[in-house]
Amino acid sequence: MMIGHALSRVEGPLKVTGKATYAYEQWDEDGVSPLYGFIVGATIGKGRVTRIDTARAEAAPGVQMVMTHHDTPLEGVPDDSVAIELYRAFPALSSPDVHHYGEPVALVVAATFEQARAASHLVDVEYSGEPGRYDFAAFQDQAYAPEKMVFGIPVDTAAGDFAAGFEAAEVTLDQRYTTPYAFSLPLEPHACLVVPRGEDLIVYVSTQIVDAARTSIAATLQMDAERIRIVTPYVGGGFGSKLRIHHETILAALAARALRRPVKIALTRQQTFHLVSLRPTSSQRVRLGAGRDGRLVAIAHEVRMHTSPEVEFVEATAITTRSLYAAPDRLTSHRMVPLDLVRGESVRAPGEAPGLLAVESAMDELAHELGMDPVELRILNEPSVDPEHGVPFSERKLVECLREGARRFGWEHRIAEPASVRDGQWLVGYGMATAIRRHSQTTATARVRLEADGTAVVESDMTDIGTGTYTILTQVAADGLGLAPEQVRVELGSSEFPVSMGSGGSWGAGNSSTAVHRACAALREKLLATACGDARSSLHGRHAADAVFSGGRVSIDGASEELREIVERLYPDGIEAEGSVRFMSEEPNYQKYGIHTYGAQFAEVGVDADTGEIRLRRMLGVFSAGRILNAKTARSQLVGGMIWGVSAALHEEGVVDTRSGAFVNGDFAQYLVPVHADVPEVDAVMLDGFDDKANAMGAKGIGELGICGAGAAVANAVFNATGVRVRDFPITIEKVLPGLPQTDV
């Protein structure tokens, strides 16, 4: 069995030698040098362009074009009837209106990137500014209830009578937690190269969903999608920011069509903060009512978050609370506050990451109030069925995660009284939290072909965003056909291949591996039907149901033949088959069971007793996600998510200038993320499992599970170390220092 092995990345040598070609590194194969585009962004947050003078820029060295709203071709507009927003048109430079700071007002195209960037400063723009809404706290009175959320998730839910249950509870907690604007900042910038081919376009773009990119570009440019070819074999991270295409792709396509030349655009890191969407800021009110024994009787999780007035995005922040703990009286809701800022979109673990930061902090507060161990409080409130839907869980090993995590971490050594443990200058604390993430299934199709030389080729437009897709699909195909991994070649990220919903929402691995698994099954069936009916084959007349594929051979009842021989004799041009996965709304299991992934996060921190400096000392996560497809890449994903959770708790915060709507900390010098010195020891452990209700592979997504609950574990450890409870994230020195215990000088 190849599945589950810690196989090293099959594309690893290409990446470390620089031979894996990313979007911006592509070059037109005809030898024609591409032109380079640079986006000019608005310097106001709300209003209109009243005058734009491009003469000086057009006269600058190397400049080929300066495009503004005056000369942009007619573009398509977003069609609300398209269910998933990622597939809708995304017009750019379509009007003089400015909806947020940094929105494109011009595109400069020149022979080199440096020439385009230099000329961008020569575009003279005048504006008529309007009062903008930039301050989240100041516009709470404009909050409204959205009509829907993604995938049909209910906006609000209720069970029993929360108000009565909360009032009658013996112990109550009523707190508000705030999370900041957060950004996806992948190592590979948002970039593309668009090459015109007559009326066709080849688009090399860094995107997570090939079909969404193709459909959105076609709708925007009002052209037949069949005339667009998307190519994205390698994606250097996405974290949700590349689920859809953005301005750079549309503008490069417009310029390439107008100039009949290849055009490249890459966003600078600073531009990313205003031209790529973000995780909305949130204010979350969490109310917990419990008996003195710790059993929850009432739960409410009410969320307010920012949204763009033009494009509503509702992050399902309260969704975690619905299936995590049970209580007879429950209430969850989502409300939107419209602000004139860049639009919100999915950021890694959308909803679960900020939601668990609040709820799991609240559970720790309740445990402290009750004088209970936080692990035992959670185990006490473990539901037997999904509280929201009243259906059984498909596979739920949360208690096992908690028990195993506590054992491995040494949780029994925790001192419950805050600010009780010192290590020299450092106050030391332990914290923990649970993790849950809804497992989703979307559509996917894969094609597997056996060549006459006995090798297999896997094709799908599925993307590898650095998560190891090439490797796990190699393993699934090798396992399904009885081949060595070296005999399998996986080709991804092209619109010429069968369609999937790509990488996102932690559905990519489960979808694509199941599709390949089914394609291999169909291919085996085809091969056996012909081989067993072929008088020239040693398998002739034998029962196909007894066949074993292993070592590049097919064996039945002692008879054996090489796959290569069968294919070469019967299918000299190769033989192929496809396998598909349907959307979860068409799969009965997704209505009959609560299908989730789970984890338990444990953290130890040190807080300097004088300065309030916070340092993570060690961290452990124990996770349950069904069958693990590759132990090495899975652990890598989980550890990466845990580090992101540390970042959410202690580092990341987008700060808005409420006068202009600009994010004032738009680079890594001021928008802080963890570096190696911030993360000394992090470990992730995966429990054995197989969720047969999720898919035929028994596997569920893990890409975002690692971040879930991680930040709350760190926050709870800070409280245990200091006695200071910070509910406004991130936790910084300024918020901790005033409450530190006084020491004798």
Side-chain angles (χ1 to χ4, degrees):
M1 290 286 289
M2 277 302 305
I3 298 173
H5 286 195
L7 182 68
S8 295
R9 293 174 183 265
V10 297
E11 83 284 9
L14 293 176
K15 289 183 174 178
V16 299
T17 58
K19 296 178 182 178
T21 309
Y22 292 83
Y24 200 68
E25 299 170 324
Q26 298 282 356
W27 201 264
D28 183 17
E29 57 269 26
D30 289 343
V32 179
S33 298
L35 301 173
Y36 293 80
F38 194 89
I39 296 172
V40 181
T43 55
I44 65 169
K46 179 72 172 175
R48 292 173 61 84
V49 174
T50 56
R51 187 184 71 86
I52 186 163
D53 186 345
T54 61
R56 286 199 304 154
E58 289 170 334
V63 172
Q64 306 293 306
M65 165 193 280
V66 180
M67 182 182 293
T68 72
H69 69 275
H70 290 301
D71 42 35
T72 301
L74 184 65
E75 299 173 86
V77 297
D79 181 357
D80 291 343
S81 68
V82 177
I84 301 177
E85 194 275 334
L86 309 173
Y87 291 75
R88 298 174 189 167
F90 193 88
L93 290 181
S94 59
S95 82
D97 296 328
V98 175
H99 305 99
H100 63 83
Y101 190 96
E103 184 175 7
V105 294
L107 173 71
V108 178
V109 181
T112 69
F113 171 79
E114 291 77 12
Q115 288 174 332
R117 181 169 59 179
S120 72
H121 297 291
L122 302 178
V123 177
D124 186 15
V125 188
E126 293 181 3
Y127 304 93
S128 173
E130 300 174 14
R133 296 168 291 183
Y134 311 126
D135 188 342
F136 180 67
F139 290 94
Q140 295 295 300
D141 59 337
Q142 296 188 13
Y144 69 92
E147 293 184 4
K148 59 184 178 180
M149 290 201 297
V150 67
F151 295 152
I153 298 171
V155 172
D156 299 345
T157 61
D161 185 338
F162 171 77
F166 186 72
E167 184 177 358
E170 294 176 301
V171 180
T172 60
L173 176 82
D174 185 350
Q175 295 292 353
R176 188 172 294 277
Y177 305 84
T178 58
T179 62
Y181 299 100
F183 297 86
S184 297
L185 297 169
L187 184 62
E188 180 200 16
H190 292 74
C192 67
L193 165 66
V194 180
V195 181
R197 284 280 188 274
E199 295 304 312
D200 297 347
L201 293 177
I202 302 174
V203 182
Y204 301 94
V205 60
S206 187
T207 185
Q208 293 177 235
I209 308 178
V210 166
D211 191 45
R214 187 188 203 189
T215 304
S216 182
I217 295 169
T220 308
L221 273 55
Q222 298 181 308
M223 59 185 295
D224 184 351
E226 294 297 319
R227 306 197 76 94
I228 300 172
R229 180 187 171 202
I230 304 294
V231 182
T232 180
Y234 302 101
V235 180
F239 313 117
S241 69
K242 297 175 183 176
L243 288 173
R244 68 135 42 258
I245 50 91
H246 290 97
H247 293 292
E248 76 283 350
T249 304
I250 295 301
L251 291 174
L254 290 170
R257 293 183 85 188
L259 294 168
R260 298 294 175 183
R261 289 276 303 277
V263 175
K264 279 188 177 186
I265 300 179
L267 299 185
T268 66
R269 185 61 69 190
Q270 292 79 10
Q271 286 178 320
T272 303
F273 285 80
H274 292 109
L275 290 176
V276 177
S277 305
L278 47 72
R279 188 194 301 280
T281 188
S282 76
S283 174
Q284 305 178 49
R285 185 184 184 189
V286 180
R287 288 179 284 175
L288 303 175
R292 286 288 173 191
D293 62 353
R295 196 170 298 279
L296 290 166
V297 296
I299 305 172
H301 189 182
E302 299 161 284
V303 183
R304 290 187 177 188
M305 70 193 80
H306 118 275
T307 187
S308 162
E310 279 68 46
V311 182
E312 183 181 84
F313 172 73
V314 187
E315 188 169 29
T317 305
I319 189 174
T320 56
T321 312
R322 298 173 180 177
S323 297
L324 184 52
Y325 301 117
D329 300 309
R330 303 189 307 278
L331 172 70
T332 68
S333 67
H334 299 84
R335 297 294 180 267
M336 313 306 296
V337 178
L339 299 178
D340 299 307
L341 301 174
V342 64
R343 57 200 263 167
E345 283 184 352
S346 295
V347 174
R348 195 177 194 184
E352 288 91 348
L356 286 168
L357 198 53
V359 170
E360 287 299 284
S361 293
M363 284 293 286
D364 193 72
E365 295 202 50
L366 180 62
H368 181 72
E369 178 67 24
L370 290 166
M372 288 187 67
D373 182 279
V375 172
E376 297 305 321
L377 175 64
R378 287 162 172 82
I379 293 174
L380 176 68
N381 286 286
E382 174 71 358
S384 57
V385 297
D386 191 313
E388 194 66 28
H389 305 289
V391 297
F393 292 108
S394 61
E395 179 196 50
R396 182 165 169 129
K397 295 184 177 181
L398 181 53
V399 172
E400 290 92 326
C401 291
L402 289 164
R403 295 287 192 211
E404 182 65 11
R407 184 188 68 81
R408 288 174 177 260
F409 189 77
W411 184 254
E412 72 274 12
H413 300 302
R414 170 184 178 268
I415 305 300
E417 183 63 28
S420 297
V421 179
R422 292 287 292 261
D423 179 9
Q425 186 66 18
W426 297 91
L427 296 163
V428 180
Y430 286 8
M432 60 78 53
T434 54
I436 184 173
R437 193 171 199 283
R438 181 192 192 201
H439 174 72
S440 299
Q441 178 172 295
T442 58
T443 55
T445 299
R447 181 167 52 237
V448 179
R449 184 174 65 257
L450 268 172
E451 306 284 18
D453 62 1
T455 61
V457 180
V458 177
E459 295 175 334
S460 173
D461 76 353
M462 171 68 181
T463 53
D464 190 327
I465 58 175
T467 51
T469 308
Y470 280 103
T471 307
I472 62 171
L473 296 189
T474 296
Q475 292 175 266
V476 172
D479 191 77
L481 296 173
L483 300 173
E486 297 77 20
Q487 294 174 284
V488 177
R489 185 174 80 252
V490 176
E491 298 184 357
L492 302 175
S494 171
S495 57
E496 295 182 325
F497 299 152
V499 175
S500 73
M501 272 197 70
S503 301
S506 293
W507 59 61
N511 287 347
S512 58
S513 63
T514 301
V516 170
H517 171 77
R518 289 175 174 167
C520 289
L523 193 53
R524 292 196 306 269
E525 186 176 344
K526 279 186 178 182
L527 276 170
L528 289 168
T530 51
C532 293
D534 180 14
R536 296 169 293 175
S537 172
S538 60
L539 306 177
H540 180 252
R542 299 181 183 268
H543 296 290
D546 299 325
V548 175
F549 285 70
S550 178
R553 305 183 68 86
V554 185
S555 303
I556 306 177
D557 296 332
S560 177
E561 189 171 9
E562 285 191 45
L563 270 177
R564 177 187 57 78
E565 294 175 350
I566 299 172
V567 177
E568 188 176 41
R569 183 174 64 251
L570 299 174
Y571 302 99
D573 295 326
I575 177 175
E576 64 184 33
E578 290 190 352
S580 295
V581 174
R582 299 182 298 180
F583 197 79
M584 57 190 173
S585 61
E586 301 176 44
E587 292 284 0
N589 279 350
Y590 284 81
Q591 284 72 53
K592 293 164 59 177
Y593 298 93
I595 304 178
H596 306 268
T597 54
Y598 306 96
Q601 306 267 17
F602 295 83
E604 177 185 335
V605 303
V607 181
D608 189 287
D610 291 333
T611 67
E613 176 187 357
I614 303 168
R615 286 289 178 185
L616 180 72
R617 293 162 70 101
R618 63 189 177 102
M619 195 168 186
L620 169 71
V622 177
F623 302 97
S624 171
R627 186 186 197 181
I628 301 302
L629 299 173
N630 181 304
K632 182 180 290 188
T633 59
R635 183 182 180 277
S636 176
Q637 285 295 292
L638 291 167
V639 168
M642 293 168 69
I643 294 170
W644 195 320
V646 174
S647 189
L650 302 179
H651 299 90
E652 294 188 54
E653 179 180 20
V655 179
V656 177
D657 181 342
T658 55
R659 299 166 300 176
S660 66
F663 284 94
V664 297
N665 55 338
D667 56 43
F668 281 138
Q670 299 179 71
Y671 183 88
L672 303 181
V673 297
V675 297
H676 286 294
D678 296 315
V679 188
E681 181 183 343
V682 177
D683 193 16
V685 175
M686 295 156 284
L687 300 182
D688 290 336
F690 190 99
D691 193 336
D692 62 349
K693 308 299 187 298
N695 51 54
M697 298 296 296
K700 294 181 286 192
I702 60 169
E704 295 163 289
L705 178 61
I707 189 176
C708 295
V714 173
N716 296 337
V718 171
F719 172 74
N720 182 244
T722 64
V724 180
R725 180 72 69 179
V726 178
R727 303 182 183 92
D728 177 30
F729 294 98
I731 304 170
T732 59
I733 289 174
E734 297 84 353
K735 298 169 187 176
V736 171
L737 191 58
L740 288 180
Q742 298 298 309
T743 57
D744 295 331
V745 179

